[in-house]
Amino acid sequence: CSDTRTIQLNPDYPISSDIGLLRQAFCGCALHQPHFNDECTQCLAALHQQLGLLRGEFLDGLSLPACPDFEAWLREQRQLFLQKSTTLCKKVALWLLRTGESEQAGALIQRWISLDPFDEEVQLINLRLLLQNGQRNAAMLAFENYRRLLQSELDSEPSAQLNQLYAQIQAG
């Protein structure tokens, strides 16, 4: 339905979008719809497949400063998209780690860090993976980068747990 102030796509028209496919993947596989199952290989594989669709910000580059209502909606949608993207990276990265796919998991963990660099959980996972893969220097560098980020942006320090892991990494 549309009037002079709104527009809408015809829901009966067969069209797909990256956001639609991503939302569909978050609903789970055919066995678990409408709820995603963290333990289902098919659900996780569907999410993994959709990762290629995540490119930049929601409606990247679009701005309508003369339309404050649209700009407010766009900010909200971008935040929701970022949260969903972060959740997607987390779920699939942890699944890949559980299945021994550490190289793919490592790439996804880096993507997760790029989406949410302040998330300490991903920083811990990253340090442990780097250490497990014998990349001690890379783990120390990753910790130092995170520590500097927290200090410069939030005037904060890593948690005791992260500092303890760093001390273990330094000790060799």
Side-chain angles (χ1 to χ4, degrees):
C1 110
S2 67
D3 58 36
T4 59
R5 298 177 43 101
T6 62
I7 60 171
Q8 176 181 331
L9 291 174
N10 180 347
D12 297 327
Y13 189 78
I15 188 170
S16 67
S17 69
D18 53 356
I19 298 297
L21 293 171
L22 185 60
R23 285 188 176 137
Q24 184 180 3
F26 267 105
C27 290
C29 70
L31 297 173
H32 297 109
Q33 286 183 356
H35 303 290
F36 178 84
N37 181 334
D38 281 357
E39 302 301 318
C40 173
T41 302
Q42 288 180 329
C43 287
L44 289 159
L47 283 178
H48 192 200
Q49 182 178 6
Q50 299 310 319
L51 280 173
L53 299 175
L54 297 178
R55 300 209 195 308
E57 193 172 55
F58 177 71
L59 294 178
D60 195 18
L62 181 64
S63 178
L64 299 175
C67 301
D69 289 343
F70 177 79
E71 289 293 313
W73 173 84
L74 185 57
R75 276 190 304 278
E76 181 181 311
Q77 293 304 306
R78 284 179 173 160
Q79 185 60 39
L80 289 170
F81 183 73
L82 178 62
Q83 290 170 352
K84 289 275 190 187
S85 298
T86 303
T87 299
L88 171 61
C89 285
K90 177 181 178 176
K91 287 178 183 293
V92 176
L94 294 175
W95 170 61
L96 290 168
L97 286 172
R98 284 193 311 268
T99 60
E101 300 287 340
S102 63
E103 188 173 319
Q104 286 184 39
L108 200 48
I109 287 166
Q110 292 309 308
R111 190 167 188 182
W112 180 5
I113 289 171
S114 74
L115 292 170
D116 190 0
F118 298 102
D119 184 341
E120 188 155 304
E121 178 184 13
V122 71
Q123 298 293 338
L124 278 164
I125 292 168
N126 186 45
L127 292 184
R128 288 180 181 136
L129 181 61
L130 290 169
L131 192 58
Q132 173 187 322
N133 290 338
Q135 297 175 316
R136 183 175 164 266
N137 290 339
M140 291 188 337
L141 180 61
F143 175 85
E144 286 300 328
N145 288 340
Y146 180 62
R147 186 189 58 72
R148 279 194 296 275
L149 176 70
L150 288 179
Q151 185 62 47
S152 68
E153 298 290 326
L154 303 176
D155 194 27
S156 182
E157 292 293 325
S159 71
Q161 183 181 13
L162 199 56
N163 277 309
Q164 182 180 11
L165 179 57
Y166 181 64
Q168 290 172 1
I169 292 168
Q170 284 182 308

